[in-house]
Amino acid sequence: MASENAAHLVLSNHIYEFQKGVRNLVLFTLRKDLAQAAVDRLNRLGIDNLVQEAGDANVNIYFGRPQCIKAVSRFVSRPLYDLTPEEDFILGALLGFDICLQCERYCDRKKEAC
């Protein structure tokens, strides 16, 4: 019950930030048994979303602007650890991660100095 309440609070905060324009795309990871309620809530609010398996017990729910969901849907058909350095960079940028840190991460993954 506590984890269900925590998931609800985290989702509420993510939705608030999205609706206020703080984020264009959100990645929310939660237990599979809680996912349908989260997706139902996003659908009721008219928020585009995409669900991806994340191991045996979890799912990743991406939600946000339709353009972002469409772009992400092109390459999240496999686990995040299997993303190419370019896909990883794009996802990080869409999620609002620090661009300079994303550049460093990209170069590290490509084994190149930037």
Side-chain angles (χ1 to χ4, degrees):
M1 184 64 143
S3 64
E4 185 175 345
N5 289 338
H8 178 76
L9 290 173
V10 171
L11 179 61
S12 294
N13 185 68
H14 286 322
I15 290 170
Y16 174 82
E17 289 181 350
F18 169 69
Q19 290 176 327
K20 295 299 179 186
V22 174
R23 301 181 187 283
N24 292 316
L25 180 68
V26 175
L27 169 55
F28 181 49
T29 303
L30 74 161
R31 291 188 341 226
K32 285 182 182 179
D33 62 315
L34 302 176
Q36 191 58 56
V39 169
D40 290 346
R41 184 171 177 198
L42 293 168
N43 288 338
R44 276 193 311 276
L45 293 169
I47 300 173
D48 288 66
N49 61 82
L50 173 69
V51 178
Q52 175 195 33
E53 296 284 322
D56 293 333
N58 296 316
V59 295
N60 289 328
I61 301 176
Y62 299 86
F63 67 90
R65 307 254 328 245
Q67 306 90 322
C68 296
I69 297 298
K70 186 174 181 180
V72 167
S73 72
R74 305 280 188 220
F75 58 87
V76 296
S77 58
R78 58 192 184 285
L80 296 179
Y81 60 79
D82 279 342
L83 295 181
T84 67
E86 292 79 11
E87 292 166 337
D88 181 80
F89 180 88
I90 293 167
L91 181 58
L94 288 170
L95 290 168
F97 296 172
D98 180 279
I99 292 299
C100 292
L101 292 177
Q102 281 301 106
C103 290
E104 288 178 18
R105 180 178 167 87
Y106 172 77
C107 290
D108 287 345
R109 292 192 69 199
K110 293 293 276 189
K111 307 294 187 233
E112 299 172 4
C114 290

